[in-house]
Amino acid sequence: MLQGKQMVYSRLDASGAHCTSISRVLSFEGHLLSDKKSLKHLKCEITGIPAEVLENIAHSYRVSDVKEWAKNRVTTEPEEQIHCLLSILNVFIIASYGEGIDNATKRLDDELERISNETRFMVPYARNNHFVGYESKLAELESMVLDGQQTTKIAITGPGGIGKSQLALELAHRTQQNYKNCSVFWISAADMDSFYQACSYVAQKLSIPGWDNESRDSRKLLQVHLSRESTRKWLLIYDDADDASLGASNEPRQRVTILLDFIPQSDHGRIIFTTASNNTAEMLAPENTMH
């Protein structure tokens, strides 16, 4: 029985943080010792890594946290403490054995810096240094968006002037500060013209093919680009989305284009709407509305 359990520890040490391939562990006599579900707590205890990260459902995590998880990891070679972080950070560098932990750390940091330079922060407003009084709401929002909750779309709703946009703005700046591999985009959804101009601006800055072609729709170009599997992690904020029809509700029905027609779909992305309309919030993010 003990030998059967030792096989579990050995497998965990050898396979790294994303050790989710073990479905059942049997004794030599064929008796079930544990399965993937019962191993969850054990894996977290041994590695010090949160369950949502081990199960690969976390959207983003701070680089400092990831490095902290590896500190107590026992490895055959010192540099393996760094190599084991690559899949969690979604970083691709060649594992060079014998280089030592200092060289491996430098190469990882250099690659993270390169990735950070490639990510985009397109938010038209500076950070509000006087933002206070919303810490509990901000913590809730950050947890829903960034810390592993399986949430794609969230609506922040309430009357005008209560700080919905300021809450989203602070989250945008914190994301830039703490999550270097996550791009942030801010789109005004106040009306059709603002929406089109914002999408065109982002498409141009990202150099999306077709952005300069007048026959192409920048709204659709941006949607397709962010929906691709090859696109890195992103946070997209639609501000002032009070009317899902973008102000075209008086047009004939066949001409109405609603915001939902241009929302990207991707496991790599998270979306926040700010809106003063409860009905719009229910339409855009029916399962995740913050009041």
Side-chain angles (χ1 to χ4, degrees):
M1 295 290 287
L2 287 176
Q3 288 178 324
K5 291 183 179 179
Q6 287 172 347
M7 290 171 60
V8 180
Y9 287 102
S10 175
R11 182 61 182 273
L12 285 170
D13 285 342
S15 62
H18 286 276
C19 177
T20 57
S21 60
I22 301 176
S23 57
R24 294 188 303 167
V25 178
L26 306 177
S27 70
F28 289 120
E29 294 80 16
H31 301 300
L32 179 66
L33 298 178
S34 58
D35 55 21
K36 183 183 291 188
K37 183 176 181 180
S38 64
L39 285 173
K40 182 188 297 185
H41 175 74
L42 182 62
K43 289 189 290 183
C44 295
E45 182 179 329
I46 293 173
T47 63
I49 301 175
E52 62 267 18
V53 177
L54 286 171
E55 295 173 4
N56 202 24
I57 63 173
H59 176 59
S60 295
Y61 12 78
R62 296 177 178 87
V63 173
S64 58
D65 290 341
V66 175
K67 289 184 175 180
E68 189 68 27
W69 297 333
K71 278 188 176 181
N72 297 322
R73 181 175 169 80
V74 178
T75 60
T76 304
E77 301 294 337
E79 56 269 18
E80 288 181 337
Q81 289 191 20
I82 301 302
H83 297 166
C84 72
L85 305 179
L86 302 182
S87 63
I88 298 180
L89 291 171
N90 195 25
V91 171
F92 302 95
I93 61 174
I94 297 175
S96 178
Y97 288 93
E99 66 176 329
I101 192 169
D102 290 340
N103 285 335
T105 300
K106 183 180 185 306
R107 290 201 300 124
L108 173 61
D109 289 341
D110 288 345
E111 181 63 10
L112 289 172
E113 180 66 23
R114 186 190 69 79
I115 292 172
S116 177
N117 291 334
E118 287 184 355
T119 59
R120 303 302 181 92
F121 184 76
M122 299 186 194
V123 176
Y125 307 110
R127 192 171 193 172
N128 181 0
N129 294 324
H130 302 291
F131 180 82
V132 293
Y134 292 89
E135 283 303 322
S136 61
K137 284 288 187 183
L138 185 61
E140 179 185 357
L141 181 61
E142 187 171 11
S143 177
M144 294 172 69
V145 175
L146 299 171
D147 290 346
Q149 303 296 324
Q150 298 189 62
T151 300
T152 300
K153 298 189 286 281
I154 301 169
I156 307 173
T157 185
I162 66 169
K164 300 182 299 295
S165 296
Q166 286 297 315
L167 187 63
L169 179 62
E170 177 62 18
L171 180 69
H173 283 278
R174 290 196 183 190
T175 301
Q176 180 196 33
Q177 176 180 313
N178 296 324
Y179 302 92
K180 301 300 184 183
N181 63 340
C182 185
S183 294
V184 183
F185 307 105
W186 186 284
I187 301 290
S188 172
D191 53 54
M192 187 64 75
D193 288 341
S194 298
F195 180 64
Y196 191 90
Q197 290 173 10
C199 291
S200 297
Y201 174 79
V202 174
Q204 176 183 356
K205 291 300 182 182
L206 292 178
S207 299
I208 298 175
W211 71 265
D212 54 350
N213 187 335
E214 293 184 358
S215 66
R216 305 292 296 275
D217 190 332
S218 295
R219 300 167 299 180
K220 183 61 68 174
L221 290 175
L222 181 60
Q223 178 192 33
V224 172
H225 175 78
L226 293 181
S227 297
R228 288 177 178 151
E229 285 296 318
S230 58
T231 303
R232 288 188 174 272
K233 294 175 180 178
W234 49 264
L235 171 64
L236 180 57
I237 298 170
Y238 291 104
D239 189 36
D240 289 332
D242 296 339
D243 184 353
S245 68
L246 296 167
S249 55
N250 294 325
E251 297 287 338
R253 182 60 195 168
Q254 64 269 24
R255 293 176 53 190
V256 172
T257 301
I258 64 174
L259 182 58
L260 284 170
D261 292 338
F262 298 106
I263 292 177
Q265 299 290 332
S266 172
D267 291 339
H268 300 300
R270 297 293 184 266
I271 297 171
I272 294 176
F273 306 95
T274 69
T275 177
S277 168
N278 288 332
N279 291 335
T280 299
E282 288 297 322
M283 178 185 296
L284 296 175
E287 297 181 358
N288 300 287
T289 301
M290 288 183 61
H291 296 278

